[in-house]
Structures are given as C-alpha cells and as structure tokens.
PDB file of all heavy atoms in Angstrom:
ATOM      1  N   VAL H   1       0.837  -1.196   0.000  1.00  0.00           N
ATOM      2  CA  VAL H   1       0.000   0.000   0.000  1.00  0.00           C
ATOM      3  C   VAL H   1       0.872   1.247   0.000  1.00  0.00           C
ATOM      4  O   VAL H   1       1.837   1.336   0.773  1.00  0.00           O
ATOM      5  CB  VAL H   1      -0.910   0.015   1.252  1.00  0.00           C
ATOM      6  CG1 VAL H   1      -1.775   1.248   1.289  1.00  0.00           C
ATOM      7  CG2 VAL H   1      -1.748  -1.248   1.329  1.00  0.00           C
ATOM      8  N   GLU H   2       0.493   2.212  -0.837  1.00  0.00           N
ATOM      9  CA  GLU H   2       1.176   3.496  -0.831  1.00  0.00           C
ATOM     10  C   GLU H   2       0.568   4.365   0.269  1.00  0.00           C
ATOM     11  O   GLU H   2      -0.655   4.443   0.403  1.00  0.00           O
ATOM     12  CB  GLU H   2       1.031   4.189  -2.183  1.00  0.00           C
ATOM     13  CG  GLU H   2       1.955   5.368  -2.325  1.00  0.00           C
ATOM     14  CD  GLU H   2       2.120   5.808  -3.767  1.00  0.00           C
ATOM     15  OE1 GLU H   2       1.492   5.220  -4.658  1.00  0.00           O
ATOM     16  OE2 GLU H   2       2.890   6.757  -3.977  1.00  0.00           O
ATOM     17  N   VAL H   3       1.436   4.967   1.053  1.00  0.00           N
ATOM     18  CA  VAL H   3       1.004   5.794   2.178  1.00  0.00           C
ATOM     19  C   VAL H   3       1.520   7.207   1.957  1.00  0.00           C
ATOM     20  O   VAL H   3       2.721   7.399   1.732  1.00  0.00           O
ATOM     21  CB  VAL H   3       1.558   5.235   3.516  1.00  0.00           C
ATOM     22  CG1 VAL H   3       1.094   6.083   4.684  1.00  0.00           C
ATOM     23  CG2 VAL H   3       1.160   3.786   3.703  1.00  0.00           C
ATOM     24  N   GLY H   4       0.620   8.173   2.015  1.00  0.00           N
ATOM     25  CA  GLY H   4       1.024   9.567   1.825  1.00  0.00           C
ATOM     26  C   GLY H   4       1.740  10.129   3.040  1.00  0.00           C
ATOM     27  O   GLY H   4       1.860   9.458   4.074  1.00  0.00           O
ATOM     28  N   PRO H   5       2.236  11.359   2.919  1.00  0.00           N
ATOM     29  CA  PRO H   5       2.960  11.975   4.037  1.00  0.00           C
ATOM     30  C   PRO H   5       2.049  12.157   5.254  1.00  0.00           C
ATOM     31  O   PRO H   5       0.891  12.535   5.120  1.00  0.00           O
ATOM     32  CB  PRO H   5       3.425  13.317   3.478  1.00  0.00           C
ATOM     33  CG  PRO H   5       2.616  13.564   2.262  1.00  0.00           C
ATOM     34  CD  PRO H   5       2.127  12.240   1.773  1.00  0.00           C
ATOM     35  N   LEU H   6       2.601  11.846   6.420  1.00  0.00           N
ATOM     36  CA  LEU H   6       1.837  11.970   7.661  1.00  0.00           C
ATOM     37  C   LEU H   6       2.309  13.137   8.510  1.00  0.00           C
ATOM     38  O   LEU H   6       1.537  13.740   9.236  1.00  0.00           O
ATOM     39  CB  LEU H   6       1.925  10.667   8.457  1.00  0.00           C
ATOM     40  CG  LEU H   6       1.361   9.439   7.748  1.00  0.00           C
ATOM     41  CD1 LEU H   6       1.618   8.177   8.552  1.00  0.00           C
ATOM     42  CD2 LEU H   6      -0.132   9.611   7.488  1.00  0.00           C
ATOM     43  N   ASN H   7       3.607  13.423   8.454  1.00  0.00           N
ATOM     44  CA  ASN H   7       4.191  14.521   9.228  1.00  0.00           C
ATOM     45  C   ASN H   7       5.586  14.797   8.655  1.00  0.00           C
ATOM     46  O   ASN H   7       6.063  14.039   7.809  1.00  0.00           O
ATOM     47  CB  ASN H   7       4.233  14.175  10.727  1.00  0.00           C
ATOM     48  CG  ASN H   7       5.021  12.916  11.011  1.00  0.00           C
ATOM     49  OD1 ASN H   7       6.192  12.809  10.665  1.00  0.00           O
ATOM     50  ND2 ASN H   7       4.378  11.930  11.634  1.00  0.00           N
ATOM     51  N   PRO H   8       6.272  15.846   9.103  1.00  0.00           N
ATOM     52  CA  PRO H   8       7.585  16.158   8.532  1.00  0.00           C
ATOM     53  C   PRO H   8       8.600  15.017   8.663  1.00  0.00           C
ATOM     54  O   PRO H   8       9.476  14.857   7.818  1.00  0.00           O
ATOM     55  CB  PRO H   8       8.044  17.377   9.326  1.00  0.00           C
ATOM     56  CG  PRO H   8       6.793  18.011   9.817  1.00  0.00           C
ATOM     57  CD  PRO H   8       5.828  16.861  10.055  1.00  0.00           C
ATOM     58  N   ARG H   9       8.502  14.229   9.690  1.00  0.00           N
ATOM     59  CA  ARG H   9       9.419  13.109   9.892  1.00  0.00           C
ATOM     60  C   ARG H   9       9.094  11.918   9.001  1.00  0.00           C
ATOM     61  O   ARG H   9       9.939  11.096   8.696  1.00  0.00           O
ATOM     62  CB  ARG H   9       9.366  12.679  11.366  1.00  0.00           C
ATOM     63  CG  ARG H   9      10.705  12.232  11.887  1.00  0.00           C
ATOM     64  CD  ARG H   9      10.649  11.886  13.369  1.00  0.00           C
ATOM     65  NE  ARG H   9      10.999  10.479  13.468  1.00  0.00           N
ATOM     66  CZ  ARG H   9      10.207   9.508  13.878  1.00  0.00           C
ATOM     67  NH1 ARG H   9       9.007   9.769  14.287  1.00  0.00           N
ATOM     68  NH2 ARG H   9      10.613   8.273  13.924  1.00  0.00           N
ATOM     69  N   ASP H  10       7.828  11.817   8.587  1.00  0.00           N
ATOM     70  CA  ASP H  10       7.357  10.698   7.772  1.00  0.00           C
ATOM     71  C   ASP H  10       6.820  11.238   6.448  1.00  0.00           C
ATOM     72  O   ASP H  10       5.641  11.557   6.337  1.00  0.00           O
ATOM     73  CB  ASP H  10       6.269   9.941   8.533  1.00  0.00           C
ATOM     74  CG  ASP H  10       5.760   8.726   7.770  1.00  0.00           C
ATOM     75  OD1 ASP H  10       6.167   8.524   6.610  1.00  0.00           O
ATOM     76  OD2 ASP H  10       4.947   7.990   8.339  1.00  0.00           O
ATOM     77  N   PRO H  11       7.706  11.341   5.430  1.00  0.00           N
ATOM     78  CA  PRO H  11       7.294  11.935   4.156  1.00  0.00           C
ATOM     79  C   PRO H  11       6.509  10.986   3.245  1.00  0.00           C
ATOM     80  O   PRO H  11       6.310  11.282   2.082  1.00  0.00           O
ATOM     81  CB  PRO H  11       8.629  12.316   3.525  1.00  0.00           C
ATOM     82  CG  PRO H  11       9.599  11.322   4.063  1.00  0.00           C
ATOM     83  CD  PRO H  11       9.131  11.030   5.474  1.00  0.00           C
ATOM     84  N   GLY H  12       6.068   9.859   3.760  1.00  0.00           N
ATOM     85  CA  GLY H  12       5.277   8.922   2.975  1.00  0.00           C
ATOM     86  C   GLY H  12       6.134   7.899   2.263  1.00  0.00           C
ATOM     87  O   GLY H  12       7.354   8.037   2.166  1.00  0.00           O
ATOM     88  N   GLY H  13       5.488   6.870   1.765  1.00  0.00           N
ATOM     89  CA  GLY H  13       6.203   5.805   1.077  1.00  0.00           C
ATOM     90  C   GLY H  13       5.281   4.633   0.843  1.00  0.00           C
ATOM     91  O   GLY H  13       4.087   4.800   0.614  1.00  0.00           O
ATOM     92  N   ILE H  14       5.855   3.441   0.905  1.00  0.00           N
ATOM     93  CA  ILE H  14       5.092   2.220   0.646  1.00  0.00           C
ATOM     94  C   ILE H  14       5.299   1.258   1.812  1.00  0.00           C
ATOM     95  O   ILE H  14       6.422   1.094   2.297  1.00  0.00           O
ATOM     96  CB  ILE H  14       5.545   1.568  -0.674  1.00  0.00           C
ATOM     97  CG1 ILE H  14       5.214   2.509  -1.843  1.00  0.00           C
ATOM     98  CG2 ILE H  14       4.891   0.210  -0.867  1.00  0.00           C
ATOM     99  CD1 ILE H  14       5.695   2.015  -3.186  1.00  0.00           C
ATOM    100  N   SER H  15       4.201   0.649   2.255  1.00  0.00           N
ATOM    101  CA  SER H  15       4.264  -0.385   3.286  1.00  0.00           C
ATOM    102  C   SER H  15       3.780  -1.690   2.677  1.00  0.00           C
ATOM    103  O   SER H  15       2.844  -1.693   1.865  1.00  0.00           O
ATOM    104  CB  SER H  15       3.385  -0.025   4.485  1.00  0.00           C
ATOM    105  OG  SER H  15       3.899   1.108   5.146  1.00  0.00           O
ATOM    106  N   GLY H  16       4.429  -2.783   3.057  1.00  0.00           N
ATOM    107  CA  GLY H  16       4.034  -4.072   2.522  1.00  0.00           C
ATOM    108  C   GLY H  16       4.244  -5.188   3.515  1.00  0.00           C
ATOM    109  O   GLY H  16       5.105  -5.091   4.398  1.00  0.00           O
ATOM    110  N   VAL H  17       3.451  -6.252   3.361  1.00  0.00           N
ATOM    111  CA  VAL H  17       3.573  -7.418   4.225  1.00  0.00           C
ATOM    112  C   VAL H  17       3.075  -8.644   3.477  1.00  0.00           C
ATOM    113  O   VAL H  17       2.182  -8.549   2.634  1.00  0.00           O
ATOM    114  CB  VAL H  17       2.788  -7.233   5.550  1.00  0.00           C
ATOM    115  CG1 VAL H  17       1.291  -7.159   5.312  1.00  0.00           C
ATOM    116  CG2 VAL H  17       3.137  -8.297   6.557  1.00  0.00           C
ATOM    117  N   VAL H  18       3.698  -9.765   3.760  1.00  0.00           N
ATOM    118  CA  VAL H  18       3.185 -11.048   3.311  1.00  0.00           C
ATOM    119  C   VAL H  18       3.218 -11.984   4.513  1.00  0.00           C
ATOM    120  O   VAL H  18       4.197 -12.017   5.257  1.00  0.00           O
ATOM    121  CB  VAL H  18       3.990 -11.630   2.114  1.00  0.00           C
ATOM    122  CG1 VAL H  18       5.423 -11.923   2.476  1.00  0.00           C
ATOM    123  CG2 VAL H  18       3.304 -12.884   1.560  1.00  0.00           C
ATOM    124  N   LEU H  19       2.112 -12.671   4.723  1.00  0.00           N
ATOM    125  CA  LEU H  19       2.063 -13.656   5.801  1.00  0.00           C
ATOM    126  C   LEU H  19       2.651 -14.955   5.279  1.00  0.00           C
ATOM    127  O   LEU H  19       2.351 -15.373   4.154  1.00  0.00           O
ATOM    128  CB  LEU H  19       0.632 -13.871   6.266  1.00  0.00           C
ATOM    129  CG  LEU H  19      -0.073 -12.640   6.822  1.00  0.00           C
ATOM    130  CD1 LEU H  19      -1.510 -12.991   7.196  1.00  0.00           C
ATOM    131  CD2 LEU H  19       0.672 -12.063   7.995  1.00  0.00           C
ATOM    132  N   ILE H  20       3.469 -15.561   6.084  1.00  0.00           N
ATOM    133  CA  ILE H  20       4.053 -16.854   5.738  1.00  0.00           C
ATOM    134  C   ILE H  20       3.706 -17.837   6.844  1.00  0.00           C
ATOM    135  O   ILE H  20       3.435 -17.430   7.973  1.00  0.00           O
ATOM    136  CB  ILE H  20       5.594 -16.743   5.543  1.00  0.00           C
ATOM    137  CG1 ILE H  20       6.264 -16.142   6.778  1.00  0.00           C
ATOM    138  CG2 ILE H  20       5.926 -15.934   4.293  1.00  0.00           C
ATOM    139  CD1 ILE H  20       7.781 -16.082   6.696  1.00  0.00           C
ATOM    140  N   ALA H  21       3.671 -19.102   6.521  1.00  0.00           N
ATOM    141  CA  ALA H  21       3.341 -20.111   7.530  1.00  0.00           C
ATOM    142  C   ALA H  21       4.287 -19.987   8.712  1.00  0.00           C
ATOM    143  O   ALA H  21       3.912 -20.246   9.851  1.00  0.00           O
ATOM    144  CB  ALA H  21       3.414 -21.506   6.920  1.00  0.00           C
ATOM    145  N   GLU H  22       5.498 -19.544   8.441  1.00  0.00           N
ATOM    146  CA  GLU H  22       6.520 -19.405   9.483  1.00  0.00           C
ATOM    147  C   GLU H  22       6.391 -18.085  10.238  1.00  0.00           C
ATOM    148  O   GLU H  22       7.013 -17.900  11.259  1.00  0.00           O
ATOM    149  CB  GLU H  22       7.916 -19.517   8.855  1.00  0.00           C
ATOM    150  CG  GLU H  22       8.195 -20.871   8.228  1.00  0.00           C
ATOM    151  CD  GLU H  22       7.588 -21.059   6.834  1.00  0.00           C
ATOM    152  OE1 GLU H  22       6.998 -20.113   6.265  1.00  0.00           O
ATOM    153  OE2 GLU H  22       7.689 -22.182   6.312  1.00  0.00           O
ATOM    154  N   SER H  23       5.627 -17.114   9.775  1.00  0.00           N
ATOM    155  CA  SER H  23       5.274 -15.861  10.421  1.00  0.00           C
ATOM    156  C   SER H  23       5.017 -14.749   9.412  1.00  0.00           C
ATOM    157  O   SER H  23       3.983 -14.718   8.801  1.00  0.00           O
ATOM    158  CB  SER H  23       6.283 -15.437  11.481  1.00  0.00           C
ATOM    159  OG  SER H  23       5.696 -14.414  12.264  1.00  0.00           O
ATOM    160  N   HIS H  24       5.979 -13.815   9.183  1.00  0.00           N
ATOM    161  CA  HIS H  24       5.714 -12.724   8.237  1.00  0.00           C
ATOM    162  C   HIS H  24       6.999 -12.051   7.754  1.00  0.00           C
ATOM    163  O   HIS H  24       8.056 -12.156   8.385  1.00  0.00           O
ATOM    164  CB  HIS H  24       4.801 -11.666   8.860  1.00  0.00           C
ATOM    165  CG  HIS H  24       5.470 -10.854   9.914  1.00  0.00           C
ATOM    166  ND1 HIS H  24       5.517 -11.246  11.241  1.00  0.00           N
ATOM    167  CD2 HIS H  24       6.150  -9.684   9.853  1.00  0.00           C
ATOM    168  CE1 HIS H  24       6.192 -10.333  11.945  1.00  0.00           C
ATOM    169  NE2 HIS H  24       6.586  -9.385  11.121  1.00  0.00           N
ATOM    170  N   ILE H  25       6.856 -11.340   6.643  1.00  0.00           N
ATOM    171  CA  ILE H  25       7.904 -10.476   6.111  1.00  0.00           C
ATOM    172  C   ILE H  25       7.218  -9.142   5.817  1.00  0.00           C
ATOM    173  O   ILE H  25       6.179  -9.110   5.149  1.00  0.00           O
ATOM    174  CB  ILE H  25       8.514 -11.054   4.815  1.00  0.00           C
ATOM    175  CG1 ILE H  25       9.126 -12.425   5.091  1.00  0.00           C
ATOM    176  CG2 ILE H  25       9.558 -10.085   4.248  1.00  0.00           C
ATOM    177  CD1 ILE H  25       9.524 -13.187   3.831  1.00  0.00           C
ATOM    178  N   GLY H  26       7.775  -8.061   6.323  1.00  0.00           N
ATOM    179  CA  GLY H  26       7.153  -6.759   6.118  1.00  0.00           C
ATOM    180  C   GLY H  26       8.180  -5.654   5.951  1.00  0.00           C
ATOM    181  O   GLY H  26       9.345  -5.811   6.324  1.00  0.00           O
ATOM    182  N   PHE H  27       7.734  -4.540   5.387  1.00  0.00           N
ATOM    183  CA  PHE H  27       8.629  -3.394   5.211  1.00  0.00           C
ATOM    184  C   PHE H  27       7.846  -2.090   5.184  1.00  0.00           C
ATOM    185  O   PHE H  27       6.632  -2.075   4.963  1.00  0.00           O
ATOM    186  CB  PHE H  27       9.448  -3.537   3.918  1.00  0.00           C
ATOM    187  CG  PHE H  27       8.611  -3.492   2.668  1.00  0.00           C
ATOM    188  CD1 PHE H  27       8.163  -2.286   2.135  1.00  0.00           C
ATOM    189  CD2 PHE H  27       8.260  -4.658   2.016  1.00  0.00           C
ATOM    190  CE1 PHE H  27       7.381  -2.248   0.997  1.00  0.00           C
ATOM    191  CE2 PHE H  27       7.481  -4.634   0.869  1.00  0.00           C
ATOM    192  CZ  PHE H  27       7.038  -3.419   0.361  1.00  0.00           C
ATOM    193  N   HIS H  28       8.567  -0.997   5.390  1.00  0.00           N
ATOM    194  CA  HIS H  28       8.066   0.367   5.245  1.00  0.00           C
ATOM    195  C   HIS H  28       9.160   1.161   4.547  1.00  0.00           C
ATOM    196  O   HIS H  28      10.296   1.197   5.043  1.00  0.00           O
ATOM    197  CB  HIS H  28       7.751   1.001   6.596  1.00  0.00           C
ATOM    198  CG  HIS H  28       6.794   0.195   7.415  1.00  0.00           C
ATOM    199  ND1 HIS H  28       5.429   0.177   7.170  1.00  0.00           N
ATOM    200  CD2 HIS H  28       6.998  -0.646   8.448  1.00  0.00           C
ATOM    201  CE1 HIS H  28       4.850  -0.641   8.045  1.00  0.00           C
ATOM    202  NE2 HIS H  28       5.776  -1.160   8.824  1.00  0.00           N
ATOM    203  N   THR H  29       8.838   1.751   3.383  1.00  0.00           N
ATOM    204  CA  THR H  29       9.840   2.530   2.656  1.00  0.00           C
ATOM    205  C   THR H  29       9.591   4.023   2.832  1.00  0.00           C
ATOM    206  O   THR H  29       8.448   4.457   3.015  1.00  0.00           O
ATOM    207  CB  THR H  29       9.838   2.213   1.141  1.00  0.00           C
ATOM    208  OG1 THR H  29       8.688   2.794   0.519  1.00  0.00           O
ATOM    209  CG2 THR H  29       9.895   0.706   0.886  1.00  0.00           C
ATOM    210  N   PHE H  30      10.661   4.790   2.743  1.00  0.00           N
ATOM    211  CA  PHE H  30      10.624   6.243   2.815  1.00  0.00           C
ATOM    212  C   PHE H  30      11.499   6.774   1.680  1.00  0.00           C
ATOM    213  O   PHE H  30      12.667   7.118   1.894  1.00  0.00           O
ATOM    214  CB  PHE H  30      11.127   6.719   4.183  1.00  0.00           C
ATOM    215  CG  PHE H  30      10.339   6.120   5.334  1.00  0.00           C
ATOM    216  CD1 PHE H  30      10.728   4.902   5.892  1.00  0.00           C
ATOM    217  CD2 PHE H  30       9.218   6.750   5.828  1.00  0.00           C
ATOM    218  CE1 PHE H  30      10.003   4.334   6.938  1.00  0.00           C
ATOM    219  CE2 PHE H  30       8.479   6.182   6.875  1.00  0.00           C
ATOM    220  CZ  PHE H  30       8.878   4.974   7.427  1.00  0.00           C
ATOM    221  N   PRO H  31      10.962   6.788   0.437  1.00  0.00           N
ATOM    222  CA  PRO H  31      11.776   7.134  -0.722  1.00  0.00           C
ATOM    223  C   PRO H  31      12.471   8.494  -0.610  1.00  0.00           C
ATOM    224  O   PRO H  31      13.635   8.624  -1.010  1.00  0.00           O
ATOM    225  CB  PRO H  31      10.771   7.136  -1.873  1.00  0.00           C
ATOM    226  CG  PRO H  31       9.673   6.242  -1.422  1.00  0.00           C
ATOM    227  CD  PRO H  31       9.597   6.429   0.059  1.00  0.00           C
ATOM    228  N   ALA H  32      11.793   9.498  -0.076  1.00  0.00           N
ATOM    229  CA  ALA H  32      12.396  10.833   0.025  1.00  0.00           C
ATOM    230  C   ALA H  32      13.624  10.833   0.931  1.00  0.00           C
ATOM    231  O   ALA H  32      14.498  11.686   0.802  1.00  0.00           O
ATOM    232  CB  ALA H  32      11.362  11.847   0.534  1.00  0.00           C
ATOM    233  N   ARG H  33      13.710   9.866   1.814  1.00  0.00           N
ATOM    234  CA  ARG H  33      14.850   9.738   2.726  1.00  0.00           C
ATOM    235  C   ARG H  33      15.832   8.651   2.290  1.00  0.00           C
ATOM    236  O   ARG H  33      16.863   8.467   2.920  1.00  0.00           O
ATOM    237  CB  ARG H  33      14.368   9.425   4.137  1.00  0.00           C
ATOM    238  CG  ARG H  33      13.571  10.531   4.778  1.00  0.00           C
ATOM    239  CD  ARG H  33      13.069  10.073   6.145  1.00  0.00           C
ATOM    240  NE  ARG H  33      12.451  11.157   6.839  1.00  0.00           N
ATOM    241  CZ  ARG H  33      13.047  11.898   7.772  1.00  0.00           C
ATOM    242  NH1 ARG H  33      14.280  11.645   8.133  1.00  0.00           N
ATOM    243  NH2 ARG H  33      12.408  12.878   8.359  1.00  0.00           N
ATOM    244  N   GLY H  34      15.482   7.862   1.264  1.00  0.00           N
ATOM    245  CA  GLY H  34      16.333   6.743   0.864  1.00  0.00           C
ATOM    246  C   GLY H  34      16.468   5.722   1.984  1.00  0.00           C
ATOM    247  O   GLY H  34      17.502   5.088   2.158  1.00  0.00           O
TER     248      GLY H  34
END
C-alpha cells in the first residue's frame, strides 16, 4: 500500500507485508529519505 505523508518526519512511502506459515515479512519505505 502506498502511504502519503503523515508529518515532517514521515514523508510517505510504501508499506508491505506477506504472511508466511513461518510468520511474516514486512517493510516500510521512505523514498524521500532513501
């Protein structure tokens, strides 16, 4: 999911998750910050 800017510290990005039988893999990106 693409997430827009929320505050000056969080300029927005993409969050993702996949559930696995063993638990999960997830991330949050902040492209403006690299």
